[in-house]
């Protein structure tokens, strides 16, 4: 990998303290690319949020495997973080990324939201 | 209101059956506008998903008030649905909308994600 993410470790403790987690210690994280396509939604812990900001790539918490999940670590489909936001309630995160590889979805699609309601 | 949403009530029962809900009967719903800005994330039940598709405007479930929440009913900041998607796992929804009024956020901001991590 030649590309790297933007290190956002200038996020302040006050900003991080504004993030609210579920009883399980999780917060939903929306990922979109710079073109505006929403790629996926996954979950972070306080630890994986910090890892994401420091490493400049998305790091989630896998609820099924109950472990830290560095997106693309095995598939190569890394998401390099360009900017990161939190919402008015502090209970949802948004990351704008450069998506490496074919896409964000394990099906090979660019976006996990490739199924549309309706005809 | 002169504008109306796109009725998506041609969503099939098979599509609706692909949606997976939490133990509380909820599914996260991401809302973005046609320019690609992610506006907010809120929660839907199976009932409010159907209402959203039939009425062509976003209808959520308010977890704090424990009631159906027609976005913009009191504020006028209605979200007219242009297209609707569900993800590969069926556990997250995505709506592309035309946002009426000042914006999606109760603060008056266009997007709820107006706070950025970092300096």
């Amino acid at each position: 990998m030649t590309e790297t993410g933007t290190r956002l470790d200038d996020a302040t403790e006050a900003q991080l303290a504004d993030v609210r987690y579920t009883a399980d210690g999780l917060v939903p994280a929306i990922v979109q690319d710079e073109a505006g396509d929403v790629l996926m939604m996954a979950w972070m812990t306080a630890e994986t949020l910090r890892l994401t900001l420091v490493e400049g790539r998305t790091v989630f918490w896998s609820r099924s495997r109950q472990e830290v999940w560095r997106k693309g670590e095995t598939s190569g489909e890394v998401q390099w973080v360009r900017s990161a936001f939190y919402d008015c309630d502090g209970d949802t995160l948004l990351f704008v990324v450069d998506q490496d590889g074919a896409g964000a979805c394990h099906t090979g699609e660019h976006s996990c939201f490739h199924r549309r309601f309706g005809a």
Side-chain angles (χ1 to χ4, degrees), chain A:
Chain A
M1 295 172 206
T2 54
E3 197 176 6
T4 55
T6 305
R7 286 171 59 98
L8 294 167
D9 47 3
D10 58 348
T12 66
E13 290 303 318
Q15 291 170 341
L16 291 169
D18 276 340
V19 179
R20 289 165 50 201
Y21 298 88
T22 66
D24 295 331
L26 301 174
V27 62
I30 301 165
V31 181
Q32 73 174 160
D33 65 17
E34 289 178 298
D37 290 340
V38 175
L39 301 177
M40 61 183 285
M41 198 278 273
W43 296 80
M44 291 186 178
T45 59
E47 179 198 0
T48 69
L49 170 57
R50 282 181 186 268
L51 289 171
T52 294
L53 296 174
V54 169
E55 298 183 12
R57 53 180 288 183
T58 55
V59 183
F60 303 106
W61 179 256
S62 169
R63 293 179 302 168
S64 56
R65 298 192 306 272
Q66 288 286 301
E67 65 181 22
V68 171
W69 165 32
R70 280 185 172 74
K71 173 72 178 164
E73 192 160 45
T74 53
S75 67
E77 285 155 359
V78 175
Q79 296 172 333
W80 301 107
V81 175
R82 294 294 172 239
S83 48
F85 303 85
Y86 54 111
D87 77 347
C88 51
D89 295 329
D91 65 1
T92 310
L93 308 177
L94 172 66
F95 296 90
V96 179
V97 305
D98 273 355
Q99 174 68 59
D100 267 4
C105 192
H106 72 284
T107 62
E109 298 275 350
H110 177 58
S111 166
C112 292
F113 296 94
H114 56 270
R115 297 190 292 180
R116 187 175 183 137
F117 287 108

